[in-house]
Each structure stands twice: as structure tokens, then as C-alpha cells.
Amino acid sequence: RTVNTISKDAFQFGADRTSATCDLSALRPAGKFTRVDGPVYAFVASGKLVLIRSHPGATGEMSLDKLWETVPVWRSVMKNYEPNAEAVSRIKADDKDTTVTLAFGTWCPDSKNYVPRLLKALNAAGNPRIQLKLIGIDNQFREPVASVQPLRITNVPTVIIERDGREVGRIVETPAAKTIEEDLAAILGGKQPIHNGRWERGPRIASGTYSYRERGGKEVGAESWDLFSTPEGGFLVHSRITSGDLSTDVFHRVEASRRPSFAEVTKLHGNDRTRTRFNVEGNTLTARTRGSVSGVIAQTLEVPERFFISSPAVAAQGFMQSSNVTRYQISTYPTPTEFENATALLSLAACETGDEESVRVPAGEFRVRHITRKTEREKTEWWIDVKLGVPVKGQSRGVEYVLKSLEISSAR
């Protein structure tokens, strides 16, 4: 919480003006800073009171000149970027009338990284059949109202590609390929790239699929998943779930102790979209939802050292911290599976763990432990593979989950 001063002449800026270095020996102590409220800070330097707060962002449609005037460093990013030549050629060769809408935050680091690069690629392509529209979004995702909800903006930057008044693809937050212009070229060519998420991960441990079935055996959904190790010794599951007309994309991360650290749940229902991110820092869980139906919802909860996030991903149901006893209780945060609901409350789950047994499912025969979890609202049962730690079978709310296929990585 200390403040130091240094002459601005001591900074050596990078070519794109987004970074700088300095000689730390030139720093001079100036006192301490105070956190006023949220991301608002105050301090006194050279007898002057300085207040720092988040930039709310320029909002609404704007021209390129207005964009450069608002965030001039973005222009430096654009000038110093060399776009992918093959992607530029494909964008240039596209012969259909297209509107590309860039929704971004002038306050947003991802927007700063990707919007100027896409603008450079579009400028290099020089395709007269592509119309460009720039829309600034505020940092609370409330303005402009006429754009945020109708365009289903949950994160920035969002690039929306339309033809004949119909959306043919979009890029959300980060590109699926190495560059954002490669994603645009793929969408213009009729193929929406599959995004495997921006979250850091190590080698893939395993991948597989689940079948969601009613008690009568009728399939009502499916889940494909990948399990990764993480650099700090934990695990990350990425699941893609389809059930009726609802699609759910889940990232669920735990530490080496299996304590949850992060989850992201994105739901698509027709033209509606919502994304909720759950972050755990120490004993505080924060949830933040953005969606075309829910708007912006924020939640903060204090959580105990031992607790469990129950996400929609069946593959992550084995992420519960282990206990040395067969009967125990653990605080559980059940992330909602319904599209209309975004957040929940902690509840106490009574757990009972059985002995090892063998279970046969379509993916093969496995040694498992049978775990029963009971809360005030429901009872769930899971048969967890003792080696891999993922469910082989499960039951919840009248639905049975069965491991249909499994592939173990040779690198494991």
C-alpha cells in the first residue's frame, strides 16, 4: 500500500506504447494509498490529492477518429501489429455483403489487445463489401441499452458477423485460433471456430462423453469433456453439454487439494446467452453474471476452507475434497442449471462414501466409490472412478448420467 514517484522521463516505452520499464533505483517514496471503495484508490503526492478509479468507458457507436481520440494507445497497437497474411487474403477475397460489428470496452485489456489487431487486418484486406460498426460498452455492461441486451453481449470484445440481417458467427473475448483475423476469416468462409477457452492448463489427462438418460432409458442430453492438469498441480475440466434446446459450456478448476478456485458457466438458449464466472480468493467467492435476459448480476459470499462448487459439468462432480471418514458434511455451492437462474446460495451437504466396487458402463468396467450427497433440496448419487476421479455413473433429479466413452492420454 505504498506510493512512489518517478520522473516520466525515466520510462522506456515499448514500440506499441502498451508497456514500459524503468530503473527502480529512481523511485522515491511518497507515502501510502487508501482503498476508498471497490476499485477506487486515493493518495497524496507532492501535496496533491490523487483519486484513481476504473475508467467507465466510452459508449455507443463511434467512428475510428473518435476511437483513436478516446484510446490513442490502441492506434499504436494497430500500427505495430503485423496481421496473418493468409487470413487477410481470405478476408479480402470474400465476395458477400457482410456487416462486422465490434462491441468493445475502452477500459478492457482484451479489447485493447484484439480490436486494434482486427482493425489492422480489415484495413489490410480493404474489402469494400465488409461494413464495419464500432460500439463502445461501459464497464458495467449497462450502456448502451439498445446494444448490450439485443446483441447478447456478455463479454468484450465481441465481434458479430452478419449477412442479410442474420448473424452467421461471433467471436467472444478471445479468438479460438492464434489470431482474431483467422477466426474472422473462418466465419466468413462458413465455419465457426470451436473455442477451447482461454484458461491456463497443462497436458490433457483424459477425455470422454456422458449420456444423460431418463429412468426409462431415453437419452435427454449429452456431455463431452476434457480433463487437464494445471501448472500448480490441480485440475481443469472443460465440458460441453447439450440438453434439449439448451447448450452449456463449463470450465471448472480446482487446486491440488481439490479446493475450487474458478468456474465459468456459459448458457445458450435460442438467441439468448448468459455467462457466469465464479472466482474464489481465500474465503471469498464472487459470482458475476452477464446475459441478454438477466442483465448484470453480482454476488459475494464468504466460504469455509472446505467447500464444493457443484457445476453443471458431470465430469467435475468428483472434484470434492476428500475426507478420512465415510460420513461427513461439506458446504456446497450449487451453480444453477436452469437458463433463467444465475446464482445460488451455500447449502450443507451430508455425504456418505461406500467401499470400492466394480461398475460396468458402456465405456467399460471401472473400480469406483459410491458417494451419496444429500441437501435440503435434493439427493444425488455418484460412482467415482478411484484412479481418474471422474464419475462413471450418477443420478440426480430423475436423470441418470452414464460414461459412454473414455480416452486416457498417453502422456498421463
Side-chain angles (χ1 to χ4, degrees):
R1 293 182 177 271
T2 60
V3 178
N4 294 274
T5 61
I6 189 172
S7 169
K8 65 181 182 180
D9 296 333
F11 284 105
Q12 300 296 320
F13 283 92
D16 62 3
R17 307 292 291 179
T18 63
S19 63
T21 58
C22 69
D23 181 3
L24 295 180
S25 65
L27 292 173
R28 297 292 179 263
K32 293 182 177 294
F33 69 82
T34 301
R35 183 173 179 176
V36 179
D37 178 39
V40 181
Y41 303 89
F43 60 89
V44 175
S46 301
K48 296 179 179 179
L49 176 63
V50 180
L51 189 70
I52 299 178
R53 55 159 295 176
S54 296
H55 171 47
T59 61
E61 287 194 42
M62 66 181 73
S63 64
L64 277 172
D65 288 340
K66 179 63 177 178
L67 178 64
W68 305 142
E69 179 186 336
T70 306
V71 276
V73 71
W74 287 23
R75 197 168 194 172
S76 297
V77 174
M78 184 185 72
K79 289 181 177 179
N80 285 274
Y81 179 63
E82 190 62 40
N84 181 282
E86 182 183 355
V88 169
S89 295
R90 291 162 62 193
I91 295 170
K92 183 177 182 178
D94 191 78
D95 61 355
K96 298 181 178 66
D97 291 333
T98 306
T99 299
V100 175
T101 300
L102 272 64
F104 54 84
T106 54
W107 46 271
C108 168
D110 285 328
S111 295
K112 179 183 72 175
N113 286 336
Y114 295 110
V115 171
R117 296 177 180 184
L118 184 55
L119 291 174
K120 180 71 171 285
L122 287 168
N123 184 63
N127 189 331
R129 305 197 73 167
I130 296 178
Q131 291 187 328
L132 180 65
K133 184 186 293 185
L134 303 174
I135 302 177
I137 307 295
D138 80 311
N139 63 358
Q140 296 300 310
F141 284 76
R142 296 191 178 100
E143 297 291 340
V145 173
S147 297
V148 175
Q149 292 199 6
L151 295 178
R152 311 187 315 280
I153 305 297
T154 59
N155 295 82
V156 288
T158 292
V159 184
I160 302 171
I161 299 91
E162 296 173 293
R163 283 177 171 157
D164 298 323
R166 183 178 66 87
E167 181 178 325
V168 296
R170 68 169 56 197
I171 306 164
V172 179
E173 198 172 34
T174 59
K178 290 184 178 180
T179 68
I180 194 166
E181 61 269 21
E182 289 177 85
D183 273 20
L184 176 60
I187 293 170
L188 293 176
K191 185 177 180 180
Q192 173 71 53
I194 297 175
H195 202 307
N196 290 318
R198 64 181 299 170
W199 313 113
E200 186 180 10
R201 70 202 70 180
R204 180 187 283 107
I205 298 172
S207 59
T209 59
Y210 290 105
S211 174
Y212 291 24
R213 303 173 180 175
E214 292 179 336
R215 294 198 185 279
K218 179 183 177 182
E219 187 168 270
V220 294
E223 174 179 337
S224 61
W225 55 272
D226 296 285
L227 174 67
F228 302 90
S229 63
T230 63
E232 67 274 13
F235 301 93
L236 173 73
V237 155
H238 179 202
S239 287
R240 298 156 295 278
I241 306 165
T242 56
S243 181
D245 55 359
L246 176 65
S247 298
T248 307
D249 197 67
V250 181
F251 290 91
H252 191 141
R253 187 183 184 111
V254 295
E255 300 170 351
S257 65
R258 304 248 168 162
R259 189 173 194 266
S261 59
F262 173 82
E264 177 185 272
V265 180
T266 303
K267 303 173 190 174
L268 300 174
H269 185 264
N271 290 326
D272 293 321
R273 176 190 183 97
T274 183
R275 174 174 286 179
T276 306
R277 284 180 176 161
F278 306 87
N279 288 282
V280 181
E281 292 188 10
N283 292 103
T284 301
L285 180 149
T286 58
R288 188 170 181 85
T289 299
R290 299 172 185 149
S292 54
V293 174
S294 60
V296 180
I297 300 172
Q299 179 187 37
T300 302
L301 289 173
E302 293 302 308
V303 295
E305 188 61 32
R306 291 190 71 252
F307 83 105
F308 174 62
I309 291 181
S310 180
S311 75
V314 170
Q317 291 299 323
F319 276 174
M320 182 177 286
Q321 291 162 283
S322 61
S323 176
N324 295 325
V325 295
T326 57
R327 289 181 174 85
Y328 58 96
Q329 292 185 325
I330 189 168
S331 292
T332 302
Y333 184 95
T335 66
T337 56
E338 303 84 1
F339 181 81
E340 294 80 7
N341 297 329
T343 56
L345 296 173
L346 283 173
S347 60
L348 198 60
C351 302
E352 184 174 339
T353 303
D355 294 330
E356 284 191 25
E357 58 180 287
S358 292
V359 168
R360 176 167 286 279
V361 293
E365 187 168 349
F366 300 86
R367 294 294 292 175
V368 301
R369 286 191 183 277
H370 181 203
I371 298 177
T372 302
R373 295 203 299 261
K374 295 181 182 178
T375 66
E376 292 182 355
R377 296 181 58 191
E378 63 176 354
K379 172 186 174 181
T380 62
E381 295 185 82
W382 304 98
W383 286 262
I384 309 296
D385 179 76
V386 295
K387 292 183 178 180
L388 201 56
V390 299
V392 168
K393 188 171 70 170
Q395 294 177 356
S396 173
R397 298 182 181 180
V399 178
E400 182 181 44
Y401 311 98
V402 179
L403 187 63
K404 194 173 180 179
S405 66
L406 176 67
E407 181 180 342
I408 306 295
S409 172
S410 59
R412 182 170 181 261

